[in-house]
Structures are given as structure tokens and as C-alpha cells.
Amino acid sequence: MNIGAVSEKSGLPAKTIRHYEDIGLLKPDRAGNGYRDYSMVDVHRLRFLQRSRSLGFSVEECRQLLSLYGDSDRESADVKAIANAKLSDIDRKIAELIGLRDMLRHLVKNCHGDSRPDCPIIEGLAGEARVQ
Amino acid sequence: MNIGAVSEKSGLPAKTIRHYEDIGLLKPDRAGNGYRDYSMVDVHRLRFLQRSRSLGFSVEECRQLLSLYGDSDRESADVKAIANAKLSDIDRKIAELIGLRDMLRHLVKNCHGDSRPDCPIIEGLAGEARVQ
DNA sequence: CTTGAGATTCCCCTTACTGGAAGGTTTATG
DNA sequence: CATAAACCTTCCAGTAAGGGGAATCTCAAG
């Protein structure tokens, strides 16, 4: 499969896909003409990257997540440790997104258009997340 | 309030706080000695930035979200349009995080340590999100 | 008064892409 | 068959969003 098709299927620009290859996140075959030749596994990895990057995980975190499978030299204890750590991150992110969503919903409901100066939503903006 | 205290309260490094000032996300006062002097509103904005950046929103998106209040020249229709667009984004992100979490949970439960070659989790990795 | 913690600016480095040039390949069309 | 459009290649440079660290300044404590 050529890079254009993979781009469409993964939702990532071709530039980004080549970049991910440069930094070792995947290694597509090459066709006789020099074009990259992607498999469905590559598409899965790229889709996964698209998702997790857009959710605020760094490329290195994504690399760890990807290593949870596929790398046949994985060790069960490592896998579980990494996965559990990421599960905490994810739970926190979900909670924060829900907080953000509620805040915006409140804003949409209560801020009724006349540009009144003091909007009580400002309090909610910072969330009640414990710092540190 | 000095930048150190604000850093602690917002969870952002001082470097990042100064950077946000450079790109116009806040304008703290200056004390007589040249030190930046932050208000509680600044702290709120910074906390908000910390949260939304870590959730995968770009700085420009954060700028839009911040403009939903504080800018007294806001127009109700604009506010609602932006807020509603962001609400969709947030809902999608939440759904994706839940998908990611379920996948990891499944992996933790089912991948029982002996490095067996084929893990069915790979299917789940890409999610069933419709591309495009 | 001096010592250490915290502030300032400035400049360069890093991460994670993104745009564009210059050129090779494949596909559709006259 | 020619040739133009669409796709692919590499390479180089730029952007976005910070981070490291030097050189200097200021404040609080002993």
C-alpha cells in the first residue's frame, strides 16, 4: 500500500508518516520502484499514533504504548507496569476532560450574550485539580 | 505574586509561564524591581492552560478557549459557536481515551506474561474511529 | 555584608512536525 | 506514443512550544 492510501486510512499527513519512520516508529517495506510499501499492521500502528498523539501523549509515550505489543521481546512484568502507569494517566485525562466539558457546558448555558463584564465561569476555569 | 509562587500554583514551569507571556496569553504587572507580579486571574488562566495543553489542545485552541471569557469584547454568538465546537472535540477525546483505557485494561488482564507471539489486542489498537 | 535563593534577559537547543524545492514514477488522456 | 497530472522520493529549511544554561540583578537571612 502506498503512502497516500495509508495517509487517508490513518488520518495522518504523509509528511508525518515519513517522520515517524525516521524516528523508528515503523519500518515499511520498499517496492521495486523505491516507494514505501505499507502493511495493515503499519496502518494500525499509525492510527494508534494519531489517536494517542491527539490525546496529549508524547511520541516517547506512544512508543512505549506501542511496545506493549508487537515487540516480541516484551516481558510481562514490564508490560503490566507500563500499562498500569498509562492507565492512571488516562484516567486523569478523562477526569480533566470531563471537568473541561462541564465548564464549557455551563458557559454555553449561562453566558447569555449581552457582554456582561463578570462571568462567574472564571472560577471554574482553573478546575479544582490539586496542584502537584 | 512572584513567578515562583505562580509556577507552583499553576503546575507550569517558570520558563513556560514567561513563554506564554511572550506569545501574548497574559500580561502580568511589573513590580518596582522589575519582577513580574501576577494576579489570581493570571493563576487561573495558567492553570487552565496547563490543563488544556496536557489534553492535546494547541496553544491557539487554548487562546480561543481563553477568549471565551475575560475579553470583554466577546460576542455571545461567537462564544457559543466556539464553545460548542470545542465541546464536540472534547466529547471525541473522552470517547477515544475511554477506548484507549479499555484496550489497556484488556491487555493487562489478558496478556499473561509468556511472550506469546500473537496478541489479539492489536485489532483494538487502531480503534474503530471512522477515519475522515 | 555576604551568601544563597529567586528573578531577569538572552541565546541556543530540542521535539515534533510542516513546507517547499528538485526530481523520479505511474496513470490518464489526446 | 507523448505528455500532463498525480504521486512518490530525498533534502533542507522553518515553525511551534517549550527547555537548558549563562550572566546579571534583587531580596531575605545570618
PDB file of all heavy atoms in Angstrom, chain A residues 74-91:
ATOM      1  N   ARG A  74       9.009  -8.487  24.483  1.00  0.00           N
ATOM      2  CA  ARG A  74       8.417  -7.847  25.655  1.00  0.00           C
ATOM      3  C   ARG A  74       8.405  -8.814  26.845  1.00  0.00           C
ATOM      4  O   ARG A  74       8.348 -10.032  26.692  1.00  0.00           O
ATOM      5  CB  ARG A  74       6.988  -7.427  25.330  1.00  0.00           C
ATOM      6  CG  ARG A  74       6.107  -8.630  25.119  1.00  0.00           C
ATOM      7  CD  ARG A  74       4.775  -8.268  24.552  1.00  0.00           C
ATOM      8  NE  ARG A  74       4.058  -9.494  24.183  1.00  0.00           N
ATOM      9  CZ  ARG A  74       2.985  -9.525  23.436  1.00  0.00           C
ATOM     10  NH1 ARG A  74       2.503  -8.416  22.959  1.00  0.00           N
ATOM     11  NH2 ARG A  74       2.397 -10.662  23.146  1.00  0.00           N
ATOM     12  N   GLU A  75       8.437  -8.232  28.018  1.00  0.00           N
ATOM     13  CA  GLU A  75       8.388  -9.017  29.243  1.00  0.00           C
ATOM     14  C   GLU A  75       7.106  -8.640  29.971  1.00  0.00           C
ATOM     15  O   GLU A  75       6.790  -7.461  30.117  1.00  0.00           O
ATOM     16  CB  GLU A  75       9.585  -8.668  30.131  1.00  0.00           C
ATOM     17  CG  GLU A  75      10.914  -8.809  29.435  1.00  0.00           C
ATOM     18  CD  GLU A  75      11.750  -9.918  30.064  1.00  0.00           C
ATOM     19  OE1 GLU A  75      11.523 -10.217  31.243  1.00  0.00           O
ATOM     20  OE2 GLU A  75      12.603 -10.483  29.347  1.00  0.00           O
ATOM     21  N   SER A  76       6.445  -9.648  30.451  1.00  0.00           N
ATOM     22  CA  SER A  76       5.127  -9.428  31.031  1.00  0.00           C
ATOM     23  C   SER A  76       5.132  -8.386  32.148  1.00  0.00           C
ATOM     24  O   SER A  76       4.263  -7.533  32.234  1.00  0.00           O
ATOM     25  CB  SER A  76       4.600 -10.751  31.554  1.00  0.00           C
ATOM     26  OG  SER A  76       3.982 -10.610  32.786  1.00  0.00           O
ATOM     27  N   ALA A  77       6.128  -8.448  33.015  1.00  0.00           N
ATOM     28  CA  ALA A  77       6.144  -7.515  34.140  1.00  0.00           C
ATOM     29  C   ALA A  77       6.256  -6.085  33.640  1.00  0.00           C
ATOM     30  O   ALA A  77       5.546  -5.188  34.100  1.00  0.00           O
ATOM     31  CB  ALA A  77       7.310  -7.841  35.062  1.00  0.00           C
ATOM     32  N   ASP A  78       7.149  -5.880  32.651  1.00  0.00           N
ATOM     33  CA  ASP A  78       7.303  -4.556  32.064  1.00  0.00           C
ATOM     34  C   ASP A  78       5.995  -4.076  31.472  1.00  0.00           C
ATOM     35  O   ASP A  78       5.553  -2.952  31.708  1.00  0.00           O
ATOM     36  CB  ASP A  78       8.351  -4.612  30.943  1.00  0.00           C
ATOM     37  CG  ASP A  78       9.729  -4.857  31.505  1.00  0.00           C
ATOM     38  OD1 ASP A  78       9.847  -4.958  32.736  1.00  0.00           O
ATOM     39  OD2 ASP A  78      10.673  -4.950  30.708  1.00  0.00           O
ATOM     40  N   VAL A  79       5.395  -4.946  30.686  1.00  0.00           N
ATOM     41  CA  VAL A  79       4.148  -4.582  30.034  1.00  0.00           C
ATOM     42  C   VAL A  79       3.128  -4.110  31.062  1.00  0.00           C
ATOM     43  O   VAL A  79       2.523  -3.049  30.918  1.00  0.00           O
ATOM     44  CB  VAL A  79       3.576  -5.783  29.253  1.00  0.00           C
ATOM     45  CG1 VAL A  79       2.145  -5.498  28.825  1.00  0.00           C
ATOM     46  CG2 VAL A  79       4.432  -6.074  28.037  1.00  0.00           C
ATOM     47  N   LYS A  80       2.971  -4.883  32.105  1.00  0.00           N
ATOM     48  CA  LYS A  80       1.948  -4.531  33.100  1.00  0.00           C
ATOM     49  C   LYS A  80       2.289  -3.228  33.802  1.00  0.00           C
ATOM     50  O   LYS A  80       1.411  -2.409  34.063  1.00  0.00           O
ATOM     51  CB  LYS A  80       1.809  -5.657  34.130  1.00  0.00           C
ATOM     52  CG  LYS A  80       1.255  -6.921  33.510  1.00  0.00           C
ATOM     53  CD  LYS A  80       0.377  -7.711  34.453  1.00  0.00           C
ATOM     54  CE  LYS A  80      -0.182  -8.907  33.697  1.00  0.00           C
ATOM     55  NZ  LYS A  80      -1.109  -9.729  34.437  1.00  0.00           N
ATOM     56  N   ALA A  81       3.568  -3.031  34.113  1.00  0.00           N
ATOM     57  CA  ALA A  81       3.964  -1.796  34.789  1.00  0.00           C
ATOM     58  C   ALA A  81       3.666  -0.591  33.914  1.00  0.00           C
ATOM     59  O   ALA A  81       3.053   0.385  34.356  1.00  0.00           O
ATOM     60  CB  ALA A  81       5.450  -1.845  35.133  1.00  0.00           C
ATOM     61  N   ILE A  82       4.089  -0.669  32.662  1.00  0.00           N
ATOM     62  CA  ILE A  82       3.862   0.455  31.752  1.00  0.00           C
ATOM     63  C   ILE A  82       2.373   0.688  31.546  1.00  0.00           C
ATOM     64  O   ILE A  82       1.877   1.811  31.645  1.00  0.00           O
ATOM     65  CB  ILE A  82       4.554   0.185  30.401  1.00  0.00           C
ATOM     66  CG1 ILE A  82       6.072   0.154  30.580  1.00  0.00           C
ATOM     67  CG2 ILE A  82       4.167   1.247  29.391  1.00  0.00           C
ATOM     68  CD1 ILE A  82       6.823  -0.260  29.327  1.00  0.00           C
ATOM     69  N   ALA A  83       1.662  -0.393  31.294  1.00  0.00           N
ATOM     70  CA  ALA A  83       0.234  -0.263  31.028  1.00  0.00           C
ATOM     71  C   ALA A  83      -0.483   0.341  32.229  1.00  0.00           C
ATOM     72  O   ALA A  83      -1.326   1.234  32.075  1.00  0.00           O
ATOM     73  CB  ALA A  83      -0.356  -1.620  30.677  1.00  0.00           C
ATOM     74  N   ASN A  84      -0.125  -0.089  33.410  1.00  0.00           N
ATOM     75  CA  ASN A  84      -0.793   0.446  34.589  1.00  0.00           C
ATOM     76  C   ASN A  84      -0.473   1.920  34.801  1.00  0.00           C
ATOM     77  O   ASN A  84      -1.348   2.705  35.187  1.00  0.00           O
ATOM     78  CB  ASN A  84      -0.407  -0.371  35.827  1.00  0.00           C
ATOM     79  CG  ASN A  84      -1.257  -1.621  35.943  1.00  0.00           C
ATOM     80  OD1 ASN A  84      -2.462  -1.585  35.708  1.00  0.00           O
ATOM     81  ND2 ASN A  84      -0.629  -2.731  36.287  1.00  0.00           N
ATOM     82  N   ALA A  85       0.765   2.291  34.554  1.00  0.00           N
ATOM     83  CA  ALA A  85       1.118   3.702  34.675  1.00  0.00           C
ATOM     84  C   ALA A  85       0.289   4.524  33.692  1.00  0.00           C
ATOM     85  O   ALA A  85      -0.267   5.574  34.038  1.00  0.00           O
ATOM     86  CB  ALA A  85       2.609   3.893  34.410  1.00  0.00           C
ATOM     87  N   LYS A  86       0.188   4.037  32.462  1.00  0.00           N
ATOM     88  CA  LYS A  86      -0.560   4.782  31.459  1.00  0.00           C
ATOM     89  C   LYS A  86      -2.047   4.819  31.799  1.00  0.00           C
ATOM     90  O   LYS A  86      -2.735   5.790  31.501  1.00  0.00           O
ATOM     91  CB  LYS A  86      -0.366   4.148  30.073  1.00  0.00           C
ATOM     92  CG  LYS A  86       1.045   4.290  29.526  1.00  0.00           C
ATOM     93  CD  LYS A  86       1.479   5.734  29.476  1.00  0.00           C
ATOM     94  CE  LYS A  86       2.960   5.851  29.166  1.00  0.00           C
ATOM     95  NZ  LYS A  86       3.529   7.125  29.621  1.00  0.00           N
ATOM     96  N   LEU A  87      -2.517   3.753  32.426  1.00  0.00           N
ATOM     97  CA  LEU A  87      -3.935   3.748  32.818  1.00  0.00           C
ATOM     98  C   LEU A  87      -4.228   4.887  33.790  1.00  0.00           C
ATOM     99  O   LEU A  87      -5.266   5.545  33.683  1.00  0.00           O
ATOM    100  CB  LEU A  87      -4.293   2.401  33.450  1.00  0.00           C
ATOM    101  CG  LEU A  87      -4.647   1.305  32.438  1.00  0.00           C
ATOM    102  CD1 LEU A  87      -4.826  -0.042  33.133  1.00  0.00           C
ATOM    103  CD2 LEU A  87      -5.922   1.670  31.692  1.00  0.00           C
ATOM    104  N   SER A  88      -3.314   5.147  34.700  1.00  0.00           N
ATOM    105  CA  SER A  88      -3.519   6.275  35.617  1.00  0.00           C
ATOM    106  C   SER A  88      -3.559   7.586  34.850  1.00  0.00           C
ATOM    107  O   SER A  88      -4.423   8.434  35.086  1.00  0.00           O
ATOM    108  CB  SER A  88      -2.397   6.330  36.647  1.00  0.00           C
ATOM    109  OG  SER A  88      -2.291   5.103  37.309  1.00  0.00           O
ATOM    110  N   ASP A  89      -2.597   7.739  33.936  1.00  0.00           N
ATOM    111  CA  ASP A  89      -2.578   8.959  33.124  1.00  0.00           C
ATOM    112  C   ASP A  89      -3.909   9.144  32.407  1.00  0.00           C
ATOM    113  O   ASP A  89      -4.467  10.240  32.366  1.00  0.00           O
ATOM    114  CB  ASP A  89      -1.476   8.867  32.051  1.00  0.00           C
ATOM    115  CG  ASP A  89      -0.088   8.925  32.652  1.00  0.00           C
ATOM    116  OD1 ASP A  89       0.021   9.153  33.870  1.00  0.00           O
ATOM    117  OD2 ASP A  89       0.882   8.734  31.907  1.00  0.00           O
ATOM    118  N   ILE A  90      -4.371   8.058  31.831  1.00  0.00           N
ATOM    119  CA  ILE A  90      -5.594   8.142  31.038  1.00  0.00           C
ATOM    120  C   ILE A  90      -6.784   8.497  31.915  1.00  0.00           C
ATOM    121  O   ILE A  90      -7.602   9.347  31.560  1.00  0.00           O
ATOM    122  CB  ILE A  90      -5.823   6.815  30.293  1.00  0.00           C
ATOM    123  CG1 ILE A  90      -4.758   6.650  29.198  1.00  0.00           C
ATOM    124  CG2 ILE A  90      -7.216   6.769  29.684  1.00  0.00           C
ATOM    125  CD1 ILE A  90      -4.726   5.274  28.578  1.00  0.00           C
ATOM    126  N   ASP A  91      -6.867   7.867  33.083  1.00  0.00           N
ATOM    127  CA  ASP A  91      -7.973   8.191  33.990  1.00  0.00           C
ATOM    128  C   ASP A  91      -7.950   9.667  34.366  1.00  0.00           C
ATOM    129  O   ASP A  91      -8.987  10.326  34.411  1.00  0.00           O
ATOM    130  CB  ASP A  91      -7.874   7.325  35.251  1.00  0.00           C
ATOM    131  CG  ASP A  91      -8.388   5.906  34.996  1.00  0.00           C
ATOM    132  OD1 ASP A  91      -9.166   5.720  34.048  1.00  0.00           O
ATOM    133  OD2 ASP A  91      -8.005   4.984  35.744  1.00  0.00           O
TER     134      ASP A  91
END
